[in-house]
Amino acid sequence: MEGERLEDDRARFLIRYAGGFAPFVVARAEGAWIETTEGRRILDFTSGQICSTLGHNHPRIAAAVERALEEVVHLNSWMLSEPVLALAERLAALFPPPLEKVVLLNTGSEANEVALKLAKMHTGRFELVGLTRSFHGLLAGIASVNFSMAHAGYGPLLPGAFAVPAPYAYRCPVRHCDGACDCTCLEVGFELLDEQSVGSLCAFVAEPVLSAGGIIVPPDGYFGRARELCDERGMLLVLDEAQTGFGRLGMMFGFEHDGVVPDLVAVSKTLGGGFPLAATITSGAIEEDCVRKGFLHVTSHVSDPLPAAAGLAVLDVIEEEGLVGQARQRGDYLLGRLRELQTEHEQVGDVQCLRRGLSMNIVRAGSSANCFRMAPPLTISEEEIDLGIEILDASLRAVLARRPAVATSRSAT
Ligand SMILES: Cc1ncc(COP(=O)(O)O)c(C=O)c1O
């Protein structure tokens, strides 16, 4: 929390990979709650790093992992186990044809990286396109198509990485729309792309809802049009469902919204329920072609049984407890409560909810960090939502009492 320091001196042995650390140490976590070593309970509206969508330490995941600890945790990469075979089959059944081939990996960056490797090998091209304000991971390759952060200071990006303006109607990047995007940004973006390309356009990668660069929801039909623009150029469409996959949007996958079938999908965060599990999914034809050309992605933890066992438990719980429908219902409830707050607090500046026991992300939707990201577990109760809203309300009141006139920065960005 800004202004408060972590007292635990042992943190001096850690590289500060994200600037700093939370001003407490966590002792345990359960459901939507984390508890610090000092006994403070904090309502977690971020599901950890947006992974624990069943809530922290879900008993079904714990049981699956305990079983894996007794049976098999890790294997040589060319050996397969029951949980891996079962999870691949379950995932393949969740995706529409022709998506039917799965590789089980560990992180979202890796799943995107593998998707782009497959796209390059299949098309024989190398130019990659992402959206401004996008985030797909921080490894060197995939970071080239992150346009929300983390370029400065790390040297050259991959040659042939291009950005298309994000469909951000509230601050229209091409100064055309106001409040409702009509996809002009997409058309303009592809026009620019055609003029800059050296004739090797390979793939367009996007999040179904942009997250880290501000919560940006593309308009209806956006991905349908993107699909057409890709097809016209022989490009592949890659969707990064790290945050949107497995129920977060009230549907199993974000791409279902437009009824578009991508060529490659990367899933991660929400699949492992807190365990490092990710997957890239593609068609039989792309897999066949890449294998014929010598596709290689052997890592230490590819196809590991333990995280696969956790992933199977996640899918079981989502299905058995109807969490996709529940996410839609709780999402509507949360939105309703937020709209009530909106009528009372028109402008919002810095809000220190953490001090009051609520953990949320603030993300950058312009030149400053100015957008709350709430991603509570899909299992959250209405009472917990009410409590979160109460804390947010109290924090807003406290801030606005201190600073009655907080300026918004819409036009500046
Ligand atoms: C949309 C999206 N893609 C990819 C990633 C990268 O995933 P990981 O941190 O597991 O590498 C993230 C992480 O926040 C993300 O939000």
Side-chain angles (χ1 to χ4, degrees), residues 185-219:
C185 50
L186 185 63
E187 305 291 340
V188 168
F190 270 76
E191 240 177 81
L192 280 172
L193 208 55
D194 288 338
E195 294 185 10
Q196 295 171 88
S197 166
V198 295
S200 192
L201 287 170
C202 169
F204 175 50
V205 55
E207 302 158 76
V209 170
L210 284 78
S211 178
I215 308 299
I216 299 173
V217 184

Side-chain angles (χ1 to χ4, degrees), residues 49-51 106-112 135-139 142 146 207-209 211-212 240-244 268-269 278 373:
Q49 196 64 32
I50 321 202
C51 300
N106 302 111
T107 67
S109 308
E110 190 191 9
N112 284 321
F135 186 81
H136 298 292
L138 291 177
L139 300 180
I142 191 64
N146 268 354
E207 302 158 76
V209 170
S211 178
D240 174 1
E241 298 257 9
Q243 297 198 18
T244 50
S268 50
K269 291 179 180 288
R373 178 171 63 183

Side-chain angles (χ1 to χ4, degrees), residues 27 36 58 169-170 178 249 315 334 363 373:
T36 72
H58 193 286
Y170 184 63
D178 186 9
L249 301 181
L315 295 186
L334 175 58
V363 295
R373 178 171 63 183

Side-chain angles (χ1 to χ4, degrees), residues 111-196:
N112 284 321
E113 194 87 42
V114 168
L116 297 183
K117 279 173 70 174
L118 286 164
K120 285 181 180 176
M121 191 158 249
H122 179 61
T123 59
R125 306 175 181 186
F126 70 93
E127 289 174 319
L128 301 174
V129 184
L131 289 172
T132 57
R133 300 176 185 277
S134 60
F135 186 81
H136 298 292
L138 291 177
L139 300 180
I142 191 64
S144 297
V145 284
N146 268 354
F147 291 103
S148 59
M149 64 179 93
H151 282 178
Y154 304 108
L157 304 175
L158 287 180
F162 295 106
V164 160
Y168 190 23
Y170 184 63
R171 295 184 175 92
C172 177
V174 293
R175 307 295 186 266
H176 174 74
C177 299
D178 186 9
C181 174
D182 68 1
C183 294
T184 298
C185 50
L186 185 63
E187 305 291 340
V188 168
F190 270 76
E191 240 177 81
L192 280 172
L193 208 55
D194 288 338
E195 294 185 10
Q196 295 171 88

